């Protein structure tokens, strides 16, 4: 599938397409997706055509498939998991006379479709002239409810706009299972595995305007139901019928439409799934939800959506003065991050959210390291649920650790249900840093919320079991400290190495946070049989953690010996050979100094308390020259550290790359689904980069500085029941509590107390730094200016 770049008018609170462009059709389907963490609906047109990937997804609902190995080995995962395109309820086909509305045929007089970030709906208005010469205006509004987890709805209106007299139209509102979705055939490992007819029918019922289909997956045995019901308003006589078969339920409405008159159809949808309940129970659940949604009515559903988003933006919005394009992109990204996690409710937050089948719908460590920090300070209730999902998979992680000969829990690099599903050992099983990433998210949530019940019931156990892995995985090396050998850090181009700095520093924090949790929760420690000797061993390992440093070059090694590897020939690598993983053997990549994504640089951000300012500047410059950013995860972290060490213009460029990754399809694969972690980076660079916010050991600090182009930056964060407002200009920073008790923070190292009164402090100039450079052809993907 060839994907083009979409083009959107610059608007502060909306994203709009004004034409149908086939080159960017898949990308627009992704960016116009609606979701709530449980249901995800790609932004395909109601009529079904034209489309690229007509996906509808339920979080946690997947099919299993054997993982192929040319040569299997002990401990290799046996089964993969792939997200299923479930029953599609978006379809509402329109026949104008005897001509089906298809924007590839007839004549599109005008077209406009808008994702409204404040109302939380997808609105569309199309005027179309059919091949038979009749003209209609179609308006639709689509909603996936953020307040009612299992509910979606569509209002679809048709108006005759010509003077040709009465027009006869028919609407066909469908539930369609086993929808045919063509694989891209690109050979890109980031794409999804193709599944053909994954759903087996168990029940199908329909009466009047109402229908329910129940299916299960063939191998994983998961059961799901989808239901629809309708309300109709017609200006003249009409006829209606319903037909139901195992994979299709169709409600048909035929009506006479006088010139200038309007037909209105409101379609209510409900979805549910279960791994345990019977077919009848899942059907009954959907029936009940559908009845309640229809009783609430369209106006109430849309009002609830707006009210929730009004509350969210009041405590989460980021304002940018001086770059309207970036302002739009950051808000779009925050909206999709909220959609990905708000109602996940003890299910994972996948790397693509619920916007497409990319990466097979898997969740990675991206969730804890990129997405959950944003939600911790904007929608903490979603973080609690996401971490409880991790806790619910502890038994699987303990079993994985046992298979690998380790103690504690070994969480998977990629998964849907909790099992490891990566068939590539170096980048999968060896990426133990996911344990520390989960622990980091647990600790951050605890410090930011002081959620006692979570800490007792879930958090402390997660910290203990992840710490136990490090204690068994590493070992004390006489005279050189505590080593963690044979692991893969975040950079997948540097695999199975000794003492990856990011892994070791994050493990160090994990060990210390586990010890602190045990001290404050002795009753949990007793239940988990944590001994004083075990805690002492954690402390010794943390205190003696091996952090490789090259004394000759004056920089940290991303892992033991990295700075002695052969340099990659960047000048001899043509731009069409990126990303490298698609054009060069991993063997060649692994033994050279080439970095796919920020690794040690990310440690400079997340474990900034372990480095001096001078080390940060030197490390950033060294790795900037070797990082190719073949991963969308990189730009945001490079931006944060660039801003901290003084490269404000470079940080600004990376901010644009992170925030506009999907709106400009910078990696060429946004049609497979959005890069939720990169979109989260739009917030991260604003708040942690140019706002300079850090949360080491639960203490909030700020060191804001703006790039030259911006005149102002504003953001809000929620912290321990407070809402803190920060506004930054080129000269000063203003702190004020919107709600809650006084708060102690630091501003550029100066301790201050923030109250409900504005506190205005000077912003010192950025440190002077030597210019840095990127590898050939790897400068920031700059956006149009």
């Amino acid at each position: 599938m060839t994907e083009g770049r979409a083009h959107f008018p610059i608007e502060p609170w909306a994203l709009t397409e004004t034409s149908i462009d086939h080159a960017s059709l898949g990308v627009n389907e992704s960016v116009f997706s609606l979701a709530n963490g449980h249901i995800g609906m790609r932004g395909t047109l109601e009529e079904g055509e034209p489309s690229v990937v007509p996906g509808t997804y339920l979080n946690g609902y997947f099919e299993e498939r054997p993982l192929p190995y040319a040569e299997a080995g002990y401990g290799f995962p046996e089964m993969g998991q792939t997200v299923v395109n479930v029953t599609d309820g978006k379809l509402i086909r329109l026949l104008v006379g005897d001509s089906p509305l298809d924007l590839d045929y007839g004549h599109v007089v005008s077209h406009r479709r808008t994702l409204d970030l404040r109302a939380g709906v997808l609105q569309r208005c199309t005027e179309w002239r059919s091949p038979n010469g009749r003209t209609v205006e179609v308006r639709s509004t689509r909603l996936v409810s953020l307040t009612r987890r299992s509910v979606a709805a569509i209002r679809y209106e048709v108006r005759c706009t010509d003077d040709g007299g009465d027009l006869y139209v028919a609407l066909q509102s469908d539930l369609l299972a086993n929808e045919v979705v063509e694989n891209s055939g690109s050979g890109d490992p980031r794409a999804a595995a193709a599944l053909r007819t994954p759903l087996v029918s168990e029940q199908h019922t329909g009466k009047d305007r109402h229908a329910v289909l129940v299916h299960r997956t063939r191998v994983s045995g998961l059961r799901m139901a989808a239901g629809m019901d309708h309300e109709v308003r017609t200006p003249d006589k009409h006829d209606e019928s319903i037909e139901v078969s195992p994979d299709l339920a169709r409600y048909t409405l035929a009506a006479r439409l006088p010139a200038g008159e309007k037909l209105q159809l409101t379609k209510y949808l409900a979805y549910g799934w279960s791994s345990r309940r019977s077919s009848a129970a899942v059907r009954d659940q959907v029936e009940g939800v559908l009845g309640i949604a229809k009783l609430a009515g369209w106006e109430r559903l849309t009002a609830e959506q707006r009210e929730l988003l009004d509350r969210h933006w009041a405590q989460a919005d980021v304002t940018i003065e001086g770059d309207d394009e970036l302002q739009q992109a950051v808000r779009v990204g925050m909206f999709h991050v909220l959609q990905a996690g708000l109602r996940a409710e003890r299910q994972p937050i996948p790397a693509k959210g619920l916007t497409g089948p990319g990466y097979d719908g898997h969740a990675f460590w991206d969730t804890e390291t990129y997405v959950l920090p944003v939600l911790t300070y904007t929608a903490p209730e979603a973080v609690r649920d996401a971490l409880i999902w991790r806790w619910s998979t502890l038994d699987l992680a303990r079993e994985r650790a046992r298979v690998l000969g380790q103690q504690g829990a070994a969480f998977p690099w990629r998964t849907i249900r909790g099992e490891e599903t990566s068939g590539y050992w170096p980048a999968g099983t060896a990426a133990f840093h996911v344990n520390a990433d989960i622990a980091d998210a647990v600790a951050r949530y605890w410090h930011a919320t002081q959620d006692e019940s979570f800490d007792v019931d879930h958090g402390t156990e997660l910290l203990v079991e992840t710490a136990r892995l490090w204690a068994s995985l590493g070992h004390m090396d006489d005279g050189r400290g505590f080593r963690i050998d044979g692991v893969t850090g975040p950079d997948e181009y540097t695999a199975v190495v000794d003492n990856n700095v990011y892994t070791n520093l994050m493990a160090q924090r994990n060990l210390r946070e586990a010890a602190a949790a045990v001290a404050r929760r002795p009753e949990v420690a007793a239940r988990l049989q944590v001994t004083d000797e075990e805690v002492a061993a954690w402390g010794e390992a943390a205190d003696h953690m091996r952090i490789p440093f090259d004394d000759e070059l004056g920089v940290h090694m991303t892992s033991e010996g990295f700075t002695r590897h052969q340099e990659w020939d960047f000048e001899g690598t043509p731009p069409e050979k990126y990303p490298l993983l698609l054009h060069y053997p991993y063997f060649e990549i692994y033994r050279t100094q080439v970095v796919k994504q920020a690794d040690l640089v990310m440690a400079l951000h997340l474990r900034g308390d372990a480095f001096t300012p001078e080390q940060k500047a030197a490390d950033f410059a060294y790795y900037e020259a070797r990082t190719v950013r073949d991963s969308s995860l990189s730009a945001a972290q490079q931006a944060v550290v660039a801003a901290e060490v003084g490269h404000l213009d470079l940080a600004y460029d990376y901010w644009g790359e992170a925030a506009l990754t999907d709106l400009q399809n910078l990696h060429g694969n946004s049609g497979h689904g959005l890069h939720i972690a990169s979109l989260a980076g739009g917030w991260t660079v604003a708040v942690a980069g140019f706002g300079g916010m850090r949360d080491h050991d639960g203490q909030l600090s700020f060191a804001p500085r703006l790039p030259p182009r911006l005149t102002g930056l504003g953001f809000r964060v929620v912290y321990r029941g407070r809402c803190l407002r920060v506004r930054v200009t080129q000269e000063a920073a203003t702190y004020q509590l919107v709600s809650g008790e006084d708060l102690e923070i630091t501003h550029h190292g100066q301790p201050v107390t923030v109250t409900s009164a504005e506190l205005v402090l000077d912003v010192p100039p950025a440190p002077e730094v030597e210019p840095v450079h990127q590898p050939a052809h790897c400068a920031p993907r700059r956006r149009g200016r």
Side-chain angles (χ1 to χ4, degrees):
M1 179 174 63
T2 301
E3 297 181 3
R5 169 179 163 176
H7 297 275
F8 303 104
I10 305 302
E11 303 171 88
W13 285 102
L15 193 68
T16 299
E17 70 175 12
T18 56
S19 65
I20 298 294
D21 175 16
H22 280 265
S24 60
L25 192 59
V27 176
N28 287 20
E29 289 174 359
S30 295
V31 299
F32 286 134
S33 294
L34 292 180
N36 62 10
H38 174 58
I39 305 169
M41 292 183 167
R42 281 176 60 82
T44 48
L45 297 167
E46 283 82 10
E47 296 81 25
E49 298 291 344
S51 71
V52 176
V53 181
T56 302
Y57 312 104
L58 296 178
N59 196 352
Y61 193 82
F62 66 93
E63 180 60 303
E64 291 182 310
R65 55 187 174 83
L67 287 174
Y69 296 103
E71 186 172 340
Y74 175 78
F76 283 18
E78 296 180 356
M79 299 294 288
Q81 299 169 354
T82 299
V83 66
V84 172
N85 176 32
V86 300
T87 307
D88 190 353
K90 302 186 299 294
L91 294 169
I92 303 175
R93 304 184 191 278
L94 171 64
L95 277 79
V96 179
D98 56 0
S99 299
L101 191 154
D102 183 336
L103 300 191
D104 279 344
Y105 299 96
H107 174 65
V108 179
V109 179
S110 64
H111 173 78
R112 185 178 183 88
R113 194 160 56 142
T114 298
L115 179 65
D116 188 322
L117 305 178
R118 289 184 290 191
V121 297
L122 180 63
Q123 297 172 316
R124 170 258 190 117
C125 180
T126 300
E127 189 169 12
W128 179 76
R129 184 175 300 114
S130 71
N132 60 25
R134 300 306 304 268
T135 304
V136 293
E137 179 188 79
V138 174
R139 291 181 178 268
S140 69
T141 302
R142 185 184 304 173
L143 172 146
V144 174
S145 177
L146 296 170
T147 61
R148 300 169 187 259
R149 183 171 181 260
S150 301
V151 172
I154 301 170
R155 174 156 283 181
Y156 191 93
E157 298 176 336
V158 183
R159 185 168 64 90
C160 178
T161 57
D162 62 29
D163 56 3
D166 291 350
L167 177 64
Y168 287 85
V169 300
L171 294 181
Q172 296 173 327
S173 176
D174 291 355
L175 289 176
L176 175 62
N178 289 316
E179 196 168 19
V180 176
V181 179
E182 297 297 331
N183 195 7
S184 68
S186 65
D188 190 334
R190 299 166 295 184
L195 294 178
R196 299 292 181 183
T197 60
L199 299 174
V200 178
S201 176
E202 291 194 329
Q203 291 190 36
H204 53 282
T205 61
K207 184 180 180 181
D208 299 327
R209 299 170 176 173
H210 174 103
V212 176
L213 302 182
V214 182
H215 289 82
R216 62 171 171 80
T217 48
R218 297 177 186 276
V219 181
S220 63
L222 304 182
R223 182 170 283 115
M224 60 88 48
M228 66 176 180
D229 205 346
H230 303 83
E231 292 177 340
V232 173
R233 292 184 182 178
T234 61
D236 204 356
K237 67 179 183 178
H238 67 273
D239 185 62
E240 54 189 328
S241 62
I242 195 161
E243 56 181 305
V244 182
S245 59
D247 284 350
L248 174 66
R250 171 169 291 168
Y251 166 72
T252 301
L253 173 69
R256 185 171 65 184
L257 201 57
E261 295 291 337
K262 180 176 68 176
L263 175 155
Q264 182 186 89
L265 175 77
T266 304
K267 183 176 187 177
Y268 299 95
L269 294 161
Y271 286 90
W273 74 268
S274 176
S275 60
R276 299 183 302 272
R277 284 177 293 152
S278 68
S279 176
V282 176
R283 178 204 64 208
D284 292 347
Q285 174 198 350
V286 165
E287 294 271 15
V289 168
L290 199 56
I292 293 171
K294 188 175 180 183
L295 178 65
W298 174 260
E299 283 71 22
R300 186 181 183 104
L301 293 179
T302 54
E304 290 174 347
Q305 193 89 333
R306 179 60 184 253
E307 290 164 5
L308 182 146
L309 286 168
D310 283 347
R311 293 193 300 271
H312 174 72
W313 291 118
Q315 68 180 21
D317 189 27
V318 170
T319 57
I320 300 168
E321 298 171 21
D323 191 333
D324 293 340
E325 179 187 46
L326 194 56
Q327 173 71 86
Q328 178 189 43
V330 169
R331 282 181 176 147
V332 168
M334 292 178 67
F335 178 76
H336 279 296
V337 168
L338 183 72
Q339 287 198 129
L342 185 62
R343 302 305 303 273
E345 295 184 12
R346 309 188 183 189
Q347 291 294 336
I349 299 177
K352 296 290 188 180
L354 297 174
T355 68
Y359 296 115
D360 284 317
H362 292 169
F364 296 74
W365 61 280
D366 313 11
T367 299
E368 284 77 17
T369 302
Y370 288 80
V371 178
L372 294 194
V374 179
L375 295 173
T376 295
Y377 297 108
T378 60
E381 65 279 3
V383 178
R384 188 181 204 276
D385 280 340
L387 293 175
I388 291 175
W389 168 74
R390 282 290 191 188
W391 174 86
S392 74
T393 69
L394 257 174
D395 284 344
L396 293 170
R398 290 187 182 104
E399 175 60 20
R400 183 65 177 159
R402 186 196 65 77
V403 168
L404 299 176
Q406 304 300 320
Q407 301 297 312
F411 282 97
W413 184 60
R414 62 187 298 171
T415 190
I416 295 179
R417 186 170 56 189
E419 299 92 342
E420 178 61 75
T421 61
S422 171
Y424 188 62
W425 183 280
T429 296
F432 289 103
H433 69 86
V434 65
N435 260 39
D437 301 322
I438 293 168
D440 183 58
V442 170
R444 178 180 294 105
Y445 175 76
W446 159 249
H447 289 304
T449 65
Q450 302 288 282
D451 185 338
E452 300 275 349
S453 64
F454 172 82
D455 197 41
V456 171
D457 296 336
H458 312 288
T460 297
E461 188 171 6
L462 281 167
L463 291 171
V464 165
E465 295 294 6
T466 48
R468 282 173 165 164
L469 176 85
W470 301 119
S472 66
L473 189 65
H475 69 281
M476 295 298 297
D477 181 6
D478 292 344
R480 302 193 71 184
F482 187 81
R483 301 179 60 88
I484 303 175
D485 296 331
V487 301
T488 299
D491 174 34
E492 295 153 27
Y493 285 176
T494 310
V496 193
V497 296
D498 298 340
N499 296 312
N500 171 258
V501 169
Y502 176 88
T503 300
N504 285 19
L505 284 175
M506 296 297 282
Q508 181 186 64
R509 173 175 286 173
N510 190 168
L511 292 163
R512 288 173 174 165
E513 290 287 355
V518 164
R520 69 178 176 262
R521 305 295 178 200
E523 72 283 7
V524 179
R527 174 170 59 82
L528 299 175
Q529 300 180 331
V530 180
T531 65
D532 292 342
E533 292 77 15
E534 186 175 20
V535 176
W538 295 346
E540 184 180 14
D543 292 343
H544 295 88
M545 190 66 69
R546 170 73 177 148
I547 308 298
F549 189 82
D550 188 320
D551 292 309
E552 182 179 339
L553 294 175
V555 297
H556 286 88
M557 304 179 191
T558 190
S559 54
E560 204 84 63
F562 178 84
T563 55
R564 299 294 176 244
H565 288 181
Q566 181 179 353
E567 296 279 2
W568 184 272
D569 180 13
F570 293 112
E571 293 295 334
T573 305
E576 64 270 17
K577 293 295 186 179
Y578 289 96
L580 299 181
L581 76 151
L582 299 184
H583 299 94
Y584 296 93
Y586 269 113
F587 163 75
E588 189 67 20
I589 294 171
Y590 285 165
R591 64 194 186 99
T592 53
Q593 290 191 57
V594 58
V595 179
K596 179 182 181 183
Q597 64 204 66
D599 188 310
L600 188 138
V601 168
M602 189 159 64
L604 300 178
H605 170 205
L606 298 179
R607 282 303 317 273
D609 54 336
F611 301 86
T612 67
E614 295 76 18
Q615 289 173 338
K616 290 179 182 179
D619 286 350
F620 179 79
Y622 187 84
Y623 288 98
E624 183 70 7
R626 291 158 177 82
T627 302
V628 296
R629 293 190 331 288
D630 281 350
S631 167
S632 63
L633 298 179
S634 198
Q637 298 294 343
Q638 288 175 267
V640 169
V641 179
E644 180 179 358
V645 301
H647 298 286
L648 295 176
D649 284 322
L650 178 61
Y652 180 72
D653 287 339
Y654 280 141
W655 190 13
E657 180 175 324
L660 288 155
T661 286
D662 293 309
L663 295 187
Q664 295 190 355
N665 194 22
L666 296 180
H667 288 263
N669 62 352
S670 294
H672 298 159
L674 301 178
H675 300 79
I676 298 298
S678 186
L679 296 184
W683 180 94
T684 300
V685 180
V687 176
F690 295 113
M693 189 180 94
R694 298 293 184 272
D695 51 9
H696 302 312
D697 299 318
Q699 300 299 311
L700 285 188
S701 62
F702 297 85
R705 289 191 184 95
L706 293 187
R709 178 171 173 180
L710 296 188
T711 58
L713 170 70
F715 58 88
R716 299 185 180 196
V717 295
V718 293
Y719 183 77
R720 297 186 183 180
R722 305 165 173 89
C723 181
L724 171 66
R725 177 166 55 203
V726 181
R727 170 163 164 71
V728 186
T729 65
Q730 292 289 347
E731 298 80 24
T734 302
Y735 302 93
Q736 183 182 21
L737 283 177
V738 177
S739 62
E741 301 175 352
D742 295 357
L743 178 65
E744 304 294 326
I745 65 168
T746 63
H747 168 82
H748 284 283
Q750 173 190 355
V752 296
T753 301
V754 183
T755 69
S756 59
E758 289 188 350
L759 175 64
V760 182
L761 301 170
D762 291 339
V763 171
E768 294 187 6
V769 288
E770 294 294 322
V772 295
H773 68 275
Q774 298 78 40
H777 315 302
C778 295
R781 296 171 171 90
R782 298 172 188 268
R783 54 199 190 281
R785 298 182 181 176

